[in-house]
């Protein structure tokens, strides 16, 4: 288990961190033995409540039910903004760094309040009420955060859809949660290129007659089509509104947001998070995992369209009164030094990114890094996929100059906040290991039969008890919640990940054990890509698997069987790639398409994905038993035709 890499002990300048090793052990133990006492205290310390709760937690995993802080009332936007004003009105809440290195601005907590209240009033003026769903399809601009917080302020439920998703994907998500308002921009700007958000929104809204209001931020000033009955310019509708809007007092279990994520079957699921527990765990983990200190500048490079952007650009940092940097661009534009230039420009102390970005930067060598100062950096973090120890070591030695601990944070859209992670003042770091569970997170490994593994070993990663920021339901389909997370192993939350635990109790996440791909940290169901491919009239069948990719972590490998009488061609390959982009978005482009006259199937007609995975991985020596195949010769043919990646 990665023994060749040295352990990095807690550095001297982290001895006075919020949490040391001894505190971690005693707080962790208490959190498991007495969750009510533990979380009750933190809920009082971290959040402001309008009304106290009468019970901390009650849950039933067999029914997929969890109730945290029953009877308690609070408002998320009040907690992220207003209550900080007495001491931080003039402190920067958000630093915005534009795609163009010459473009940036600071938004103070006082300004944030004005922006959020104006937008909240505008939403009210358009008839949005507590409980209504609002879709947010935005580039990485401050208005994306204002929109989330404005919804929270009036009790509306936001559904942020990643700006890289296609009109088709946007439409599905708007319809699934019955959003009647969409907030978007004329265009986005990323890496010097324009993203046609309003054009995409128009296409999606053609099929969404219930959307009565589309609010459009002017980002580039592009000429866009206009529906006079439905479309409103953001500055025109919002600009004149009052900067006062009383925060709605919400039940602790009131829905805060829906965020769609991919699973192994069917359409993406609308993961629902609620108010009190979600905000508490995102705030607590923000402070402790990143050891956040007063006045520090913190930068998470995720997009707000993903859970990492929700919990660790917006809610966690702002609940803690931090200064959070939001970046519109990409790490490689205008050059490979961009991240470190931004670090130097804004004095970033804590930097949180994905392994795929680290690998992409690593592949360009050390010079773009070493030509910058990075003296402000104190802590580094990663999230989204397993980090290979080589990339970890490079991040540690070259980016962090061996003085910044790395927190490798394992968690999911469904978990809402960090679940397994080192704490920089408490944990000796092993490169590639997410190390130990967060407070209140009771994890276990199960074997094939569902029995808990004691001591070192490998198995399915599960959680044994509810945690505050857990998923509450799959929007509109609670049965799917039960089937997906609480049925494989009765009494446990099933993560879909495999992991091992070493002799020191460190966890090493090995990746998904289901048909979910992780491409550059983006989750995608193989079934989603397959559904897109078979939409083509020439395609009879498609099977999609992941394979190891140097930069993306996993690449998409598609086996495609054509209809009888149709021949493969380069044009067809291009059409199929275009279909995936159209149906899902550019992140779903297959890296390799292999024309497969036949797929390996069992006699009952089930595709043997295990074998397809091995061929895609080029692990031809370990194909395993092929004797149950209806026609074993299919495999030899696929191997012989395997395209060279
Ligand atoms: C936060 C986020 C969740 C899946 C998860 C796992 C993978 C995330 C990881 C990691 C190894 C880490 N994952 N963090 N694997 N080490 N530190 O990424 O949420 O988009 O829902 O993806 O990502 O496979 O199950 P989400």
């Amino acid at each position: 288990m990665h023994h060749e890499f040295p352990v990095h002990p807690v550095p001297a300048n982290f001895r006075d961190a919020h949490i040391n090793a001894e505190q971690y052990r005693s707080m962790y133990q208490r959190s498991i033995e007495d969750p009510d006492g533990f979380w009750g205290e933190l809920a009082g310390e971290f959040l402001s409540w309008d009304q106290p709760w009468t019970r901390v937690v009650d849950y039933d995993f067999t029914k997929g039910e969890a109730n945290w802080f029953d009877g308690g009332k609070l408002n998320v936007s009040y907690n992220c903004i207003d209550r900080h004003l007495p001491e931080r009105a003039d402190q920067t809440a958000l630093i915005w760094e534009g795609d163009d290195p010459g473009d940036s601005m600071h938004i103070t907590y006082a300004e944030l309040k004005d922006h959020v209240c104006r937008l909240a009033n505008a939403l009210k003026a358009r008839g949005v009420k507590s409980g209504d769903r609002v879709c947010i399809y935005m580039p990485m601009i401050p208005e994306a955060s204002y929109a989330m917080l404005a919804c929270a302020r009036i009790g509306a439920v936001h559904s942020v859809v990643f700006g890289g998703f296609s009109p088709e994907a946007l439409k599905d998500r708007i319809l699934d949660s019955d959003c009647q308002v969409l907030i978007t921009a004329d265009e986005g700007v990323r890496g010097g290129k324009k993203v046609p958000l309003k054009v995409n929104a128009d296409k999606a809204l053609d099929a969404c007659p219930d959307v009565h209001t589309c609010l459009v931020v002017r980002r580039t000033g592009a000429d866009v089509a206009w529906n006079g009955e439905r479309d409103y310019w953001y500055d025109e509708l919002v600009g004149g509104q009052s900067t006062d809007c009383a925060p709605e007092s919400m039940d602790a279990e009131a829905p805060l947001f829906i965020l769609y994520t991919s699973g192994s079957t069917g359409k993406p699921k609308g993961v629902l998070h609620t108010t009190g527990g979600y905000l508490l765990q995102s705030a607590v983990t923000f402070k402790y995992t990143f050891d956040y200190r007063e006045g520090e500048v913190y930068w998470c490079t995720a997009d707000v369209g993903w859970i990492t952007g929700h919990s660790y650009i917006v809610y966690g940092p702002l609940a803690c009164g931090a200064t959070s940097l939001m970046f519109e661009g990409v790490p490689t534009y205008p050059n490979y030094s961009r991240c470190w230039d931004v670090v130097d420009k804004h004095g970033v102390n804590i930097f949180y990114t994905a392994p795929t970005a680290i690998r992409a930067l690593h592949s360009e060598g050390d010079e773009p890094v070493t030509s910058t100062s990075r003296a402000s950096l104190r802590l580094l973090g990663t999230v989204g996929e397993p980090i290979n120890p080589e990339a970890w070591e490079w991040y540690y030695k070259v980016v962090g100059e061996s003085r910044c601990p790395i927190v490798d944070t394992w968690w999911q859209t469904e978990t809402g906040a960090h679940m397994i992670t080192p704490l920089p003042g408490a944990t000796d770091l092993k490169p590639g290991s997410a190390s130990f569970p967060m407070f209140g997170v009771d994890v276990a490994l199960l074997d094939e039969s569902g029995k808990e593994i004691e001591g070192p070993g490998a198995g399915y990663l599960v959680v044994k008890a509810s945690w505050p920021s857990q998923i509450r339901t799959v929007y509109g389909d609670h049965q799917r919640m039960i089937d997906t997370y609480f049925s494989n192993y009765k009494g446990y939350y099933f993560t879909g990940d495999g992991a091992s635990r070493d002799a020191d109790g460190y966890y090493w996440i090995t990746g998904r054990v289901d048909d979910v791909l992780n491409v550059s940290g983006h989750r995608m169901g193989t079934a989603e890509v397959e559904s897109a491919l078979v939409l083509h009239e020439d395609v009879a069948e498609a099977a999609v698997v992941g394979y190891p990719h140097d930069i993306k972590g996993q690449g998409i490998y598609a086996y495609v069987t054509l209809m009888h009488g149709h021949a493969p061609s380069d044009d067809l390959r291009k059409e199929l790639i275009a279909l995936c982009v159209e149906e899902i978005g550019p992140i779903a482009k297959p890296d390799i398409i292999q024309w497969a006259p036949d797929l390996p199937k069992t006699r009952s007609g089930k595709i043997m994905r295990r074998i397809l995975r091995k061929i895609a991985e080029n692990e031809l020596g370990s194909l395993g038993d092929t004797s149950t195949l209806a026609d074993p010769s299919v495999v030899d043919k696929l191997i012989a035709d395997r395209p060279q990646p």
Side-chain angles (χ1 to χ4, degrees), residues 261 307-308 383-386 408-414 495 497 509 512 518 521 523:
T261 192
I307 189 69
T308 306
V383 56
E385 47 178 324
D408 173 357
T409 61
W410 175 85
W411 58 295
Q412 308 177 297
T413 304
E414 295 88 340
T495 64
D497 280 320
I509 314 297
R512 304 290 304 194
N518 192 328
R523 261 169 84 167

Side-chain angles (χ1 to χ4, degrees), residues 19-93:
I19 308 286
N20 64 30
E22 206 173 300
Q23 285 164 319
Y24 168 72
R25 274 191 296 274
S26 65
M27 285 170 77
Y28 182 76
Q29 191 179 352
R30 164 137 193 259
S31 73
I32 300 302
E33 287 167 2
D34 175 21
D36 284 37
F38 180 83
W39 287 113
E41 274 170 30
L42 287 186
E45 182 188 329
F46 276 77
L47 303 181
S48 299
W49 298 77
D50 303 334
Q51 185 179 299
W53 56 92
T54 51
R55 184 183 56 201
V56 172
V57 56
D58 183 41
Y59 74 98
D60 181 347
F61 270 1
T62 61
K63 297 190 187 133
E65 289 172 0
N67 185 331
W68 284 84
F69 305 107
D70 193 41
K73 280 182 177 280
L74 74 166
N75 180 280
V76 166
S77 121
Y78 176 84
N79 270 275
C80 289
I81 307 170
D82 307 56
R83 66 169 172 144
H84 301 314
L85 293 179
E87 74 271 26
R88 318 183 184 277
D90 298 329
Q91 183 199 308
T92 301

Side-chain angles (χ1 to χ4, degrees), residues 77 104 205 208 217 274 313-314 350 412 426 482 548 553 560 574 624 628:
S77 121
S104 61
L205 293 184
C208 303
V217 178
T274 58
I313 293 177
V314 181
I350 300 167
Q412 308 177 297
I482 299 171
V560 174
K574 286 189 192 124
T628 56

